[in-house]
């Protein structure tokens, strides 16, 4: 019964397209703005979105012109608002990264190259909609008006951190902005968001929930739970998969053998779109479309956001060990900030000078926020939230065994 | 007062809470139309509507995940896991997510979720329909862990769990659903005439964190939970030693005062559970009792438990603690 | 920020198409034999199988004629062999069910209505291929030559049970037939089978692994793991989803909102087929095709086997509580045994009389096997495997703590 | 003899086993090309080939599942889980499947799988990069559980685990990867000159099931594992009591003889682990020690553990057992 050896030998393991030393070169985007229609969001079937799931929804071309049925026709003010948030995100990230290098934070993760994702998508929603992010969508908080000082307080774990130094940096919680707590185990929020939306649906409120998952993380079971429960119960949820090509050192071609991530949604009978993630206008438009579906009771939309992780995975890794140092330059999607600037300039609503002024102003604001935040302490120097916070909010009330341990802890606290 | 078995008591608790609180919502595999494979939600979909009592896809991980989302968005979900053996695909969601969300969010989000699940052996279920995995949930703070044993506490504890603003995992002894189990597989009594089967129709609670003194005595303290409470009762009767029998009811947080008080009286302790011995919750009980009552102890604390093996099918009566084994352990503590 | 109530109210929960009291009526199968081409298994892409994933591969029409490119051209002897296995399965099941009612087994699950699945598919494989079944594919063991006495010994948990009374009935293990141990937690075998196939691939052996999952169980994370790992590593695995319409009391429309289960495979870039699961010839042909792909190093094939669970879920439930009593009659796919008989008669290779003789002979064999098996004991009367078997084969060797407990157990054994 | 830190020792064990046994295969998230986020498999893909050392999709459940399949089909897989906190999506596969397949199949199938994973706190990882979930694996029979503490035992135990025909889960103390940890976060020594950092280049084993006597004494027995072994060492030095320090190394099956022998000598016992107290493996140790050595005990067995809360980020030094807390517990047992 034992099988014979075959000639052809051994396990098939895909390689990343480029590794250090290789010259990166990506295929150009196949679709141009205008190539793909904008179906009626109400009653749109999954199969009507087949081309969208295998293609790429775009609005901005590489000369900064907006066109096609997906053009959301944002006002110049709205565009400038989006730009400002993106610029703020980038400057904020750079500042935090510097602080991390000096030990004021334990760890950091930037949104570099992906700033448009959270910002355009959150702007396309209503304020009552729930946001269930990963660590790469902090930008949503700017849209929802969160104070930078409060964000920095969290990152540097000082006494004003609203999550009381319990979580690593970038794991924000911001209930006032309906921004649900970030959790480290990847993927879990994706399926949970379906439950959030089911509760909104149960209560018949005009709310939806938006969530994201990474290309790598979509291999977790939670991805399947999310799509499948969404396909059955049709709650108002927007399920985004951010394909930024990499999961730490692992290329997306090892995350899945599927042709596009968006196409997976079709198989669950969920209308699915692939969108240029560095194109602010396209992102906005597709999200608005999904929001319309949610509001109409049409259920979930699955969106693959095609982008590129321009920086390191986190402050802990050096990407030049696993990908060409200039791979980012070869990425055909360009940079989301540059592309929106280019567009605003093209329509005569912005200038290089204004951009420079914006960057300076925001830099000043970030600096000021930073300076204020460190007055409440930082990880290197304290003060931290008191060690008492270890025992609070584990349960609604402190049970006897925690109280006993808390009393014990007080004897030893290194505070 | 009406007499109920555990299936009816659970059904009544769910019915009352669905009635009282529009935020309560109940779901699980086959739990909607069919009323559950053990019939615990029989009739509830018809009564409360398909949007409040419903079937889910066959996915315990997904069930826990959507329950999490519903909980943080203002509902009070109650999820059924068809057998406790099948709770493990949901383990990550429970221990890493549900248990920690209140803390990690600085109290801005919390999840008032109840998960209820039939557990334990004695129904010839083999190793995947018999496990009693309670201890695997007691190591994680942020969740409460309950194990019921009678119709009365099954209803009262379930109502407390649903009303709690913390997540609670409730194990129900499936072997006792329709009658107590005294350790003799050939004797299949119903709950008829059992005092703990007198269950008020109306709302009442059995508080979380409080044990029940099932028998009162002076010589030895027997601590147990779930189906083993009844087997322990039989053992105590058989051996004729005067024992406190403590039905723990809630494992986290456990009832320290009840236990210390009893051990200080008796000086002897036997712990009985049907889960495997190593790192069963009996280990925590024994460790805690010796920590707190060392100078009152006259003899080593005994554990009578399932073996450290998978749960067997044909030979399950050789696996589960029997009245004889328990009685022997009690006698052993008395020898010292 | 709080959202307003919408008029349209509350959660969307799908209902089963028919419940007790309803009159069941199914849409007829859309495809006829010959409708779908047979792509070259080597180098067939997923998208070339789109029609197959949304359609239905058939060979037998309802008059018993075989036609089309998928006709596997089996010899009459092969067809009669398949028929005999199916008849044996059905008679075996009926006998076991009767024994269950008398307490000789604790529990039972029939393959009723789905006999063709395991039998045709296993016959299409090579003997060295691995079989990783659920509880509804015991029929594969007949194909691999397992002695019925040994199967019954397992079900009635007597001293000759090769798994020593440790598992519930129907949870067979049969290593000699490369039939891997059945496990109760649904879905787990599906992802594990991918690992089995990866090992075959690693060792470069001419082997594949076939596995099945139910429509209901495909909602588990293991389904996603299986498809995704298979799409990445391309091991020789055949991933079947048996859509028998029901998961205990839950209709397949609650298992997933997808249009067909097969279509999900496309999204993973795995060629996918939907096949009439009561059509012995079509099942055989599609499996052979998948086996050719596996042997050629082309990786996985995903197959939805469309059938109907004609009986109860198990000995524990009464389906008339949750579906119309005559729903089975309305199922357009008919009965797999009847359809193969009809075909054999149509081609002049079988007669009603022969069928009757076959049934009588097999019934006698099953009866004889049963009589022999009970001489080794049964669940109601014993003898069982000794309680010592609780402690053996937990580990390769018995560690000290198990030995200690074993010694303790012996004092109390109720044997 | 060469000096290695734990990262190098693990790398060496993997390298040797890949070299010796063509059935050994190693995989995990970022474990192939990149060599693992902790660099434990650095260079191994290049040396042994992409088909033997490779990256997987980001799916712990899938990793465990394919490892199961490979194991029952004749390979000897070694899977890395990037952080022990992320092992829970694989929990079902581990406790319901991997642990039970030999038994359920009557010995016809078995799974010689090793899962290795960095565990424990002290790297400012917050509550999802710091957990020490060993006890959650000790309740399930059919798997062995190992927790290493030094370069020497990290290599020797890993080789034993890979060579074992049973599944083994190996926890490695990530805080000690590059140096021992004595409880003072400001003191970051390397393994240089540490006797346990003398690691032979060649194949050797540290047997499963055997503890290591890290310090020898007469007054009290300290039982610990993982990073806490070093913190306990510091505590013992600080308080000046003559202690046996038992580095348990293997939790299942634990080394009964070593422990009984020591307690019979000292009559006092302190157990130290960084996981939460309730149902930590310290509970099993305490329960077992009092069962087996009751009449030798002069004082209650003390447990010094992490608190029953999620693992904090900024205040992790208030969470983890410190030399001061451990010393205090030792002194407390001495008072009696
Ligand atoms: C369950 C789990 N496994 C592993 C990790 C470690 N980890 C953190 S981020 C990451 C990669 C995620 O990649 P992707 O999903 O593509 O998101 P991206 O970082 O690119 O935004 C990994 C492996 C984790 N946080 N959670
Ligand atoms: C993980 C897990 N959850 C729940 C169950 C209980 N259960 C056994 S079979 C079954 C239904 C399976 O339906 P399906 O997958 O369609 O297979 P079928 O019985 O129709 O062949 C359920 C819910 C289980 N065995 N395992
Ligand atoms: Mg990514
Ligand atoms: Mg089914």
């Amino acid at each position: 019964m034992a099988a014979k050896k075959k000639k052809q030998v051994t396990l098939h393991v895909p390689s990343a397209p480029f590794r250090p030393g290789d010259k990166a070169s990506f295929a150009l985007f196949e679709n141009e703005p205008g190539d793909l229609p904008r179906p009626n969001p109400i009653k749109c079937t999954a199969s009507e979105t087949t081309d969208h799931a295998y293609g790429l929804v775009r609005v901005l071309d590489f000369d900064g012109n907006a066109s096609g049925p997906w053009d959301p026709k944002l006002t110049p003010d709205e565009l400038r608002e989006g730009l400002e948030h993106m610029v703020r995100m980038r400057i904020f990230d750079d500042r935090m990264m510097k602080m991390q290098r000096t030990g004021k934070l334990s760890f950091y993760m930037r949104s570099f190259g992906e700033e448009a994702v959270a910002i355009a998508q959150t702007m396309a929603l209503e304020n009552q909609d729930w946001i269930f992010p990963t660590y790469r969508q902090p930008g949503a908080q700017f849209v929802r008006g969160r104070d930078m000082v409060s964000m920095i307080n969290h990152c540097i774990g000082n006494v004003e951190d609203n999550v009381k130094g319990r979580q690593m940096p970038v794991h924000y919680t911001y209930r006032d902005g309906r921004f649900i707590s970030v959790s480290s185990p990847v993927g879990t929020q994706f399926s949970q968001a379906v439950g959030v939306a089911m509760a909104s649906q149960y209560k018949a409120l005009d709310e939806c929930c938006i969530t994201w998952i990474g290309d790598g993380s979509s291999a977790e079971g939670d991805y399947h739970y999310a799509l499948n429960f969404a396909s059955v119960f049709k709650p108002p949820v927007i399920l985004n998969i951010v394909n930024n090509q990499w999961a730490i050192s692992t290329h997306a071609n090892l995350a899945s053998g599927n042709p596009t991530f968006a196409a997976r949604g079709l198989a669950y009978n969920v209308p699915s779109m692939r969108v240029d993630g560095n194109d602010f206008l396209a992102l906005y438009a597709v999200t608005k479309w999904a929001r319309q579906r949610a509001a109409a009771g049409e259920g979930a939309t699955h969106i693959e956001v095609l982008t590129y992780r321009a920086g390191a995975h986190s402050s802990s890794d050096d990407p030049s060990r696993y990908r060409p140092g200039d791979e980012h330059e070869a990425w055909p999607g360009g940079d989301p900030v540059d592309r929106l600037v280019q567009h605003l300039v093209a329509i005569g609503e912005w200038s290089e000078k204004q951009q420079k002024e914006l960057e300076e102003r925001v830099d000043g604001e970030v600096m000021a926020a930073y300076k204020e935040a460190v007055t409440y302490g930082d990880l290197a120097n304290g003060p931290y939230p008191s060690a008492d916070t270890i025992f609070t909010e584990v349960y609604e009330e402190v049970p006897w065994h925690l109280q006993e341990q808390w009393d014990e802890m007080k004897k030893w606290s290194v505070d | 007062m009406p007499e109920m078995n555990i299936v009816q008591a659970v059904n009544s608790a769910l019915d009352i809470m669905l009635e009282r609180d529009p935020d309560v919502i109940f779901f699980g595999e086959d739990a909607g139309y069919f009323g559950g494979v053990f019939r615990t939600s029989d009739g509830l979909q018809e009564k409360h509507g398909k949007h409040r009592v419903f079937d889910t896809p066959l996915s315990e991980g997904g069930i826990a995940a959507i329950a999490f989302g519903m909980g943080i968005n203002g509902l009070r979900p109650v999820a059924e896991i068809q057998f406790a053996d099948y709770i493990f695909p949901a383990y990550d969601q429970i221990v890493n997510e549900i248990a920690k969300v209140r803390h990690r969010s600085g109290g801005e989000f919390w999840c008032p979720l109840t998960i209820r699940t039939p557990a334990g052996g004695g129904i010839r279920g083999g190793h995947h329909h018999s496990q009693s995995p309670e201890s695997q949930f007691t190591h994680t703070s942020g969740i409460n862990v309950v194990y019921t044993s009678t119709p009365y506490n099954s209803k009262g504890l379930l109502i407390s769990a649903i009303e709690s603003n913390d997540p609670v995992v409730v194990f129900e002894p499936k072997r006792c659903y329709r009658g107590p189990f005294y350790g003799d597989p050939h004797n299949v009594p119903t709950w008829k005439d059992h005092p703990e089967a007198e269950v008020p129709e109306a709302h009442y609670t059995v508080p979380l964190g409080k044990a029940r003194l099932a028998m009162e005595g002076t010589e030895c303290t027997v601590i147990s939970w779930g189906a083993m409470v009844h087997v322990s009762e039989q053992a105590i009767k058989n051996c004729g030693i005067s024992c406190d029998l403590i039905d723990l009811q809630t494992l986290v947080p456990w009832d320290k005062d009840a236990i210390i008080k009893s051990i200080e009286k008796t000086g002897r302790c036997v712990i009985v559970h049907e889960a495997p011995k190593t790192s069963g919750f009996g280990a925590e009980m024994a460790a805690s009792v010796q920590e707190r009552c060392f100078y009152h102890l006259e003899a080593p604390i005994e554990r009578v438990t399932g073996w450290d093996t998978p749960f067997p099918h044909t030979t399950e009566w050789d696996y589960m603690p029997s009245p004889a084994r328990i009685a022997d352990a009690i006698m052993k503590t008395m020898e010292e």
Side-chain angles (χ1 to χ4, degrees), chain A, chain B:
Chain A
M1 209 78 63
K4 276 171 301 182
K5 280 264 179 198
K6 292 197 298 182
K7 283 221 202 65
Q8 168 239 345
V9 172
T10 213
L11 212 60
H12 168 83
V13 179
S15 291
F18 317 111
R19 288 293 192 187
D22 296 336
K23 177 98 209 84
S25 78
F26 294 91
L28 291 184
F29 290 171
E30 276 177 28
N31 290 108
E32 293 295 325
D35 277 2
L36 291 166
R38 184 179 185 280
N40 180 349
I42 322 300
K43 301 291 170 207
C44 172
T45 63
S47 61
E48 278 174 65
T49 61
T50 305
D51 289 345
H52 304 77
Y54 286 95
L56 193 66
V57 176
R58 295 176 58 194
V59 171
L60 284 179
D61 66 18
F62 294 115
D63 299 322
N65 302 312
S67 65
W70 285 98
D71 184 351
K73 311 269 190 224
L74 292 174
T75 66
D77 277 348
E78 288 171 320
L79 293 172
R80 280 186 292 257
E81 187 193 329
L83 178 64
E84 177 165 337
H85 290 317
M86 289 203 286
V87 166
R88 177 170 286 114
M89 188 74 249
R90 191 165 291 181
I91 292 172
F92 183 90
D93 273 350
D94 289 343
R95 171 61 46 201
M96 290 299 112
M97 204 67 181
K98 285 203 191 96
M99 293 174 79
Q100 195 276 334
R101 300 290 179 224
T102 68
K104 290 195 159 42
L105 292 70
S106 61
F107 170 86
Y108 197 69
M109 301 177 100
R110 292 190 296 164
S111 303
F112 184 36
E114 304 175 36
E115 292 89 349
V117 182
I119 290 169
Q121 294 200 272
T122 304
M123 282 179 68
L125 300 181
E126 302 298 323
N127 273 339
Q128 71 271 24
D129 294 336
W130 291 101
I131 294 173
F132 212 155
T134 80
Y135 46 74
R136 282 210 216 281
Q137 288 85 38
Q141 296 171 100
F142 292 136
V143 181
R144 291 285 169 88
R146 186 165 185 185
D147 177 25
M148 278 193 288
V149 177
S150 146
M151 286 168 65
I152 301 172
N153 287 340
H154 160 61
C155 288
I156 64 181
N158 66 22
V159 287
E160 294 293 320
D161 174 10
N162 71 318
V163 301
K164 301 171 193 171
R166 291 171 183 154
Q167 288 232 64
M168 289 170 80
V170 201
H171 289 62
Y172 300 99
T173 296
Y174 176 42
R175 191 184 177 98
D176 283 349
R178 297 201 157 209
F179 180 101
I180 301 169
S181 167
V182 176
S183 184
S184 295
V186 298
T188 50
Q189 75 290 343
F190 212 59
S191 49
Q192 292 162 356
V194 173
V196 172
M198 285 174 77
S200 299
Q201 185 189 24
Y202 175 82
K203 294 185 275 183
L205 295 175
D206 176 25
E207 290 176 355
C208 78
C209 182
I210 188 167
T211 188
W212 294 268
I213 197 170
D215 48 308
S217 309
S218 73
E220 295 283 359
D222 287 293
Y223 173 84
H224 181 53
Y225 306 151
L227 266 294
N228 206 35
F229 277 71
S231 79
V232 169
F233 296 109
K234 301 192 186 312
V237 68
I238 305 176
L239 298 166
N240 299 287
I241 177 162
V242 182
N243 176 5
N244 64 1
Q245 317 293 317
W246 290 95
I248 310 185
S249 72
T250 306
H251 188 266
N253 71 356
L254 232 148
S256 175
N258 54 352
T260 75
F261 287 93
R264 288 207 291 211
L266 300 176
Y268 294 92
N269 214 16
V270 171
S272 301
M273 300 269 155
R274 198 148 167 266
V275 60
D276 178 351
N278 294 3
D279 174 342
F280 189 93
L281 299 177
L283 266 173
Y284 184 99
V286 164
T287 310
K288 196 98 195 166
W289 186 85
R291 212 288 166 190
Q292 285 176 285
R293 289 178 38 73
E298 293 296 310
T301 306
H302 190 33
I303 302 172
E304 175 182 346
V305 178
L306 185 68
T307 181
Y308 183 87
R309 195 193 79 211
H313 171 71
S314 75
S315 55
S316 307
D317 73 316
D318 168 8
S320 73
R321 298 189 72 135
Y322 53 76
R323 66 185 191 186
D326 59 354
E327 196 187 71
H328 177 206
E329 263 84 87
W331 174 245
D335 178 86
V337 176
D338 293 351
R339 286 179 64 192
L340 187 54
V341 169
Q342 187 192 32
H343 173 60
L344 273 163
V345 172
I347 62 174
E349 291 286 349
W350 200 242
S351 67
E352 292 223 351
K353 181 161 164 288
Q354 281 172 297
Q355 177 67 11
K356 206 159 176 287
E357 282 164 12
L358 172 66
E359 285 171 9
E360 276 163 15
R361 171 166 63 78
V362 169
D363 194 54
E365 289 169 18
V366 170
M367 232 8 225
Y370 160 73
K371 284 193 179 143
E372 180 181 341
V374 290
T375 65
Y376 310 123
D378 66 56
L379 189 78
N381 310 300
Y384 312 137
S386 131
D388 296 333
T389 58
I390 295 175
F391 294 93
T392 51
E393 293 157 340
V394 178
Y395 295 90
E396 188 178 33
E397 282 161 30
V398 182
W400 69 264
H401 63 301
L402 267 70
Q403 187 61 56
E404 211 178 72
Q405 295 178 16
W406 189 352
D407 295 341
E408 173 73 17
M409 186 275 288
K410 281 185 188 142
K411 290 196 239 154
W412 304 106
S413 181
V414 295
D415 260 6
Chain B
M1 205 177 294
E3 210 170 59
M4 296 188 194
N5 63 28
I6 293 184
V7 172
Q8 292 161 328
V10 167
N11 190 287
S12 170
L14 292 171
D15 188 20
I16 286 168
M17 292 310 297
L18 284 158
E19 192 76 48
R20 283 167 80 105
D21 185 347
D23 291 335
V24 170
I25 176 169
F26 176 71
F27 48 90
E29 295 159 12
D30 302 296
Y33 184 90
F34 189 49
V37 297
F38 291 104
R39 329 275 335 118
T40 37
S41 50
D42 196 23
L44 297 181
Q45 179 176 84
E46 214 176 347
K47 180 162 175 196
H48 298 281
K50 209 174 50 154
H51 61 301
R52 301 196 62 203
V53 176
F54 55 91
D55 296 322
T56 63
L58 207 177
S59 167
E60 295 78 12
I63 290 170
I66 62 156
F68 176 107
M70 291 173 171
I72 63 167
N73 193 7
L75 299 188
R76 204 170 272 286
V78 185
E80 173 175 305
I81 299 294
Q82 198 167 84
F83 285 85
D85 311 69
Y86 303 136
I87 203 168
F88 300 122
Y91 198 66
D92 185 52
Q93 283 283 349
I94 297 171
V95 303
N96 263 343
E97 294 288 322
I98 291 164
K100 296 182 172 54
V101 66
R102 184 191 288 277
H103 194 69
R104 84 170 195 234
S105 70
E108 294 189 15
F109 293 94
W110 63 94
C111 187
L113 161 67
T114 300
I115 295 177
R116 45 165 294 274
T117 187
I123 63 151
R124 278 273 149 80
H127 47 260
H128 286 128
H129 296 85
S130 307
Q131 290 173 78
S132 206
E134 69 277 10
S135 91
Q136 283 151 304
F137 294 85
T138 57
H139 189 49
T140 303
S141 41
I143 45 179
N144 293 309
V145 181
V146 164
Y147 210 136
T148 76
S149 58
T150 69
Y152 186 85
N153 72 12
S154 292
K155 177 169 173 179
L157 286 162
L158 180 54
I159 290 178
S160 290
I162 297 173
E163 291 179 344
S164 165
N165 289 329
D166 290 314
V168 186
V169 182
V170 181
F171 296 94
E172 295 162 3
K174 68 172 97 74
R175 169 72 206 207
C176 300
Y177 268 164
R178 293 172 189 280
F181 173 60
Y182 298 113
D184 174 1
H186 304 297
N187 171 18
V188 187
T190 67
W191 281 106
K192 197 164 153 22
D193 297 330
H194 193 289
E196 296 296 319
E198 286 182 25
V199 177
E201 301 245 28
H203 174 281
Y204 69 90
T205 60
V206 171
L208 302 182
K210 291 270 166 271
R212 173 176 79 95
L213 197 60
M215 289 173 82
E216 213 174 327
T218 53
E219 304 284 332
C220 178
T221 301
V222 178
I223 305 173
S224 190
W225 50 90
M228 287 301 118
V229 170
H230 309 290
V231 182
S232 298
E233 185 188 319
Q234 187 64 51
I236 293 167
K237 285 184 184 152
N238 291 357
C239 71
I241 307 290
S242 168
C243 293
D244 269 0
L245 170 58
I246 297 182
D247 178 354
L248 201 54
Q249 299 192 126
T250 302
L251 278 59
V252 176
W254 52 278
D255 190 340
K256 181 185 50 155
D257 297 338
I259 287 180
I260 292 182
K261 195 172 141 208
S262 176
I263 309 274
E264 288 185 350
K265 172 174 66 176
T266 64
R268 294 177 171 87
C269 181
V270 174
I271 301 159
V272 186
H273 60 68
E274 57 180 291
K277 181 174 190 181
T278 300
S279 291
F281 195 65
E284 179 57 44
M285 284 293 91
S288 290
V289 166
Q290 70 81 31
E291 257 159 42
R292 291 161 195 281
C293 310
F294 189 78
Y295 299 101
H296 289 88
L297 285 175
E298 314 265 356
I301 303 159
E302 293 286 323
R303 288 184 281 168
V304 186
T305 69
W307 312 118
D308 279 323
T309 71
F311 200 104
H313 177 246
T314 42
T315 56
E316 66 180 334
W317 313 119
D318 287 306
Y319 181 91
M320 294 175 80
S322 61
R325 268 174 68 200
I326 300 167
D328 185 63
I330 296 171
M331 298 307 293
K332 211 166 140 201
T333 67
M334 296 308 297
E335 277 162 26
E336 315 296 336

